[in-house]
Amino acid sequence: MGNVRALVEDALPTRLPGARVAPDRDEIVVAVPGGRARVSLVPLLRSCVDQPRQAWPQLVADWVAAVRRELPDSVSTDLGPVDVAQLRLRLTPAADAAATDSYLAMPFGTHFTAVVVVNRPGRLDLLTLAQAARLDREPAELVRIAVRQTVERELTTLDVRDHELPTGGSVRLLAADGNPFVTTALMSVKRFLPDGADHGALVAAPQYSAVLLHRVDQGLRDGAVALHRLAGSMFEAAADPCSDQVFWWRDGEFHPVRVVPGESGGAVQVRLPEALAPVVARLDPPTG
């Protein structure tokens, strides 16, 4: 279950700063007034055994949030003074409202959550509502500042390259090693799309530092399978895993695309969104 421990290590700096995974035991160690608290990872590890790997990041996020709620209020509620210039916006897989009720965060569509973070040296901290109140600005203004600073300071130097897919066509990779804000580019997909993407794009964010875009065309199903496999392999190998889910972005909305392996060696099934059935019919008309 090493990957689960890695996900916990990735989640702690933003959700429970100062906590760490014990190197030789299945537990995390949290500094509390007067000492340290030890919290067992075993229940989380058992939960992950029974769930598909793509569900692990959300299970980890929910578990860390539950741990945080059980700790004294003095732990991590005030992470030090915040400079407005440190604010950034990070796009994450959709989080349960209870997991973000103490932080400045909001849904971005159905499948993502936009969270305001404090970009400190060596770590990211979620901006608590208490900290936001002390900045003496409206939450909406803080969000606008975080978006602007993320675009201007984190997304202008992305490495943007096109790579050929085995099935034909190409995938556009937006990446920056060690940059935890690359997924925020999904808030402005159109800006990064290749020419001729009249029907939108298949997108994936397997890492917080990497986003994949594939223009939708007549090779929609083959492209979905290829992107699903690429996103899955990047997600599995990532030090900063985000999600292995593939979406069809069109007109500002993200629609999940399901790729299901065939049974007993059968053909892979691609389940496209019902909402886009008229577009699918034009791209992939029935034969016969």
Side-chain angles (χ1 to χ4, degrees), residues 106-165:
M106 68 292 299
F108 180 72
T110 304
H111 305 287
F112 297 96
T113 296
V115 294
V116 177
V117 300
V118 185
N119 190 25
R120 302 186 191 275
R123 76 174 200 257
L124 299 179
D125 295 335
L126 297 175
L127 181 71
T128 68
L129 295 180
Q131 288 173 319
R134 288 196 290 272
L135 291 175
D136 197 27
R137 299 176 188 242
E138 291 295 323
E141 183 183 359
L142 293 175
V143 171
R144 287 194 294 270
I145 291 171
V147 170
R148 184 181 69 248
Q149 293 179 164
T150 303
V151 171
E152 293 177 350
R153 303 180 190 183
E154 310 295 344
L155 301 183
T156 56
T157 57
L158 294 183
D159 184 13
V160 181
R161 299 186 184 183
D162 292 336
H163 302 272
E164 293 301 313
L165 287 172

Side-chain angles (χ1 to χ4, degrees), residues 14-15 58 61 89-95 100 105-106 108 110-115 117 126 180 183-184 186 205 208 242-243:
T14 57
R15 297 180 181 274
Q58 188 60 53
L89 196 80
R90 195 183 195 206
L91 207 64
T92 73
T100 58
M106 68 292 299
F108 180 72
T110 304
H111 305 287
F112 297 96
T113 296
V115 294
V117 300
L126 297 175
T183 54
T184 307
L186 292 179
Y208 282 102
C242 181
S243 170

Side-chain angles (χ1 to χ4, degrees), residues 254-266:
F254 293 89
H255 304 268
V257 174
R258 309 293 182 189
V259 177
V260 183
E263 296 182 3
S264 302

